[in-house]
Amino acid sequence: MDGQVKVAVIYYSATGITYQMAQAAVEAAGEAGAEVRLRKVRELAPDEAIRSNSGWQAHRLETQDVMEAQPDDLSWADVVIMGSPTRYGMIAAQLKQFIDTTGPLWAAGALADKVYSGFTSTATSHGGQEATLLSLYTVFYHWGGIVVTPGYTDPSQFVAGNPYGASHTSNNGEVAPDHVALAATALTAKRAVLMGAALKRGMAG
Ligand SMILES: Cc1cc2nc3c(=O)[nH]c(=O)nc-3n(C[C@H](O)[C@H](O)[C@H](O)COP(=O)(O)O)c2cc1C
């Protein structure tokens, strides 16, 4: 059995904030020794809606070469980290639509016994960050996943302030993730890899 932990970072981002957090998760997971896939979920919004928002249009072009997530990315991974902007206190429909394609994998038990975590961004302070992460984790509980969070396991978390997962307040895409949000995202990813490695070793033994 290949001992290297496989991590899938699967995200949705309209205006690029959550994408920057996804990149931080990828970098940290790689530094922690994992093999990492970065995957965006398929865009569902009509072209005219995207074109009406310059930030959305620009981000779509920026990430046109990022591969789209497939159910196989979930079965491949030992660790899955999902990110989404908050939409009324929940994950974006685009990420939920991807999640809703996983019925066959779920039925086969292929989503269980993996480590899962998440990150989010909002326009306003709090703004539903914890609710979004908890709504995402509800899916992971249904899958039989093991949810790993940053908690307060590092002093930086007393500054970041969200033990449920990494989060950032963007003022509607105006404020890029700062070092606090990126550090929380990196911590989340590193802990997920660490726990994923321990689980993988344990399950193999
Ligand atoms: C339909 C919609 C609903 C949103 N709901 C919330 C919300 O409940 N709370 C909040 O603070 N921000 C909300 N936002 C703002 C986004 O979550 C925020 O701008 C986020 O950082 C965008 O991330 P992105 O650049 O990755 O798309 C909403 C945005 C849209 C378009």
Side-chain angles (χ1 to χ4, degrees), residues 19-32:
Y19 171 62
Q20 292 175 57
M21 299 175 79
Q23 289 179 304
V26 166
E27 189 180 334
E31 283 171 8

Side-chain angles (χ1 to χ4, degrees), residues 13-18 85-89 121-124 127 170 172-173:
S13 182
T15 51
I17 299 294
T18 315
T86 288
R87 296 278 198 255
Y88 307 121
S121 69
T122 57
T124 59
S170 76
N172 280 320

Side-chain angles (χ1 to χ4, degrees), residues 50-126:
I50 298 171
R51 278 199 301 268
S52 71
N53 178 326
S54 59
W56 198 353
Q57 173 74 353
H59 178 65
R60 189 191 211 188
L61 287 174
E62 177 194 16
T63 53
Q64 60 188 345
D65 294 331
V66 176
M67 289 176 69
E68 281 187 357
Q70 305 296 332
D72 168 65
D73 295 312
L74 296 174
S75 44
W76 169 84
D78 305 301
V79 173
V80 178
I81 306 172
M82 289 190 174
S84 172
T86 288
R87 296 278 198 255
Y88 307 121
M90 302 178 191
I91 60 172
Q94 288 85 343
L95 181 58
K96 185 61 165 59
Q97 171 60 27
F98 171 71
I99 287 169
D100 287 354
T101 66
T102 61
L105 286 179
W106 167 79
L111 301 175
D113 303 338
K114 297 173 188 287
V115 163
Y116 293 91
S117 197
F119 55 91
T120 189
S121 69
T122 57
T124 59
S125 180
H126 308 292

